[in-house]
Amino acid sequence: MGIVAGLDSSPDFTRIVVCDTDTGAVLRQGYAPHPVESPEGGGRPADVDPQAWLLSLGEAAGGGLLEGVQAIGVSAQQNALVPLDAQGGTVRPALVGGDRRAQVSAADLVDSLGGREAWAQAVGCVPQAAQPVTKLRWLAKNEPEAAGRVAVLMQAHDWLVWQLLGRPVRRTTDRGGASGTGYWSAATGAYRPDLVELALGHQAVLPEVIGPAEAAGTTPEGLLISAGTGETMAAAFGLGLGLGDAVVSLGASGSVMAVHPEALVDQTGMITSLADATGMHLPVVTTLNAVRALRGTAELLGLPDPEALSELAMKSTPGAHGLVLLPYLEGERTPALPHTAGTLAGLRRESMKPEHLARAAFEGMLCGLADALDVLRGRGVEVRRVFLLGQAAELPAVQAAAPSLFGAQVVVPQPADYAAIGAARQAAWALGVSQGTLDPRTPPAWQGAAAQVLEPGEDLAVGQAVRQQYVAVREQTHPGAFTAQPGTFTA
């Protein structure tokens, strides 16, 4: 029996899990916050010295946590760009997170290549403010002296792996991390250096993309370091997702992703074509409105939180007495209605009760995410199970409505460090391949996530009627929002 470690360096902290190589059972855990000061006004900083990640890692690994570990996998926050000079030093602090400063740069890049369709064809995604390619354009426009010194480009997990290995000449990344940069194509499996030059103004050295089961290298102490990957891909791997599985993440905004055997090129830009940590693909569709619709409705009704809203919603019935909420409070990305507002329809005397509005908020949020699921289904992605993630997944009103509205079995995993577990599973895979005990095409079969399983059952017909009610209002309010876009459908 061997042991491996998975390290997840998120935007705020480092978590480490030490797992049994054969079963995936978590044996030990470590945690440390990043020593990063919040900017004035709170929120997360847009610039971070990568050394903070190393300090946090060292603290989380204290007390002999990694004693006896044979291999380490690294998961880290996505979209964190680490620009290095020719000597391997950081040109400036890493640009991290959803950097609002770069919104103009994203629009510039879209225009520079000839529009959204050109980007979708090139790399499977349309530039967004958070992506490394967009941050490069921002750097070139706003800090030209620093941009001129950039010789090497890395992301957070690439940089951490490189540091753990003692900063070797060879720098590596994986398909999952590379697919989110905006200058690597999941469809072709190749970089687009011309897009780096388009954004930055000159070429830069990019890490070698290695296979899912390959090792990035071995430390001087003989510790194997696997390829590493982004947090999204690591969490999917830790959950044990396979073909037929989708994940719906309930944050302020929402996202839907599913495992698929091939990359999807979406000319509308609604689908972002990412690669996963196993050699498959993870097409992702994002909505701008999820839990923020619940919080807004709770405030309107004078309730303290979504938990209280859920309790109230459970006093209503499916369909909320005809009340329909299109939850486009921040505009919407899926469908592409960036300048619209939310809509409340179906007001009648009998529907004008707090519990019906509460129910309509939950149904509107879930129907919006069902629309996103249908974008993937419309492109041939199979969805048999939906994993529901985020704190709101625990709410009774979500669990009561989701299976019938999604038309699929819903799995609510118990809270766990899935990104760190996924990183550990990757380490076990690379270790097994190096020892000749595992096939590079087949990851280790670890225990699946402990979860609550919810079936649509007899509620399916009712749920689909609620969904049709929602679609009818959406089509009346925003005619052709989906049907005008190829590859999608309305219900």
Side-chain angles (χ1 to χ4, degrees), residues 116 120 124 126 264-272 375 379 486 488:
R116 299 168 67 85
V126 178
L264 296 177
V265 175
D266 175 42
Q267 297 173 2
T268 70
M270 280 196 292
I271 299 174
T272 297
V375 171
R379 292 296 305 276
T488 62

Side-chain angles (χ1 to χ4, degrees), residues 394-408:
E394 303 287 338
L395 297 178
V398 169
Q399 295 190 3
S404 61
L405 293 177
F406 292 160

Side-chain angles (χ1 to χ4, degrees), residues 357-377:
L357 178 56
R359 179 86 189 197
F362 281 95
E363 290 178 347
M365 176 188 76
L366 293 170
C367 283
L369 289 161
D371 278 350
L373 269 172
D374 278 353
V375 171
L376 295 178
R377 284 172 167 144

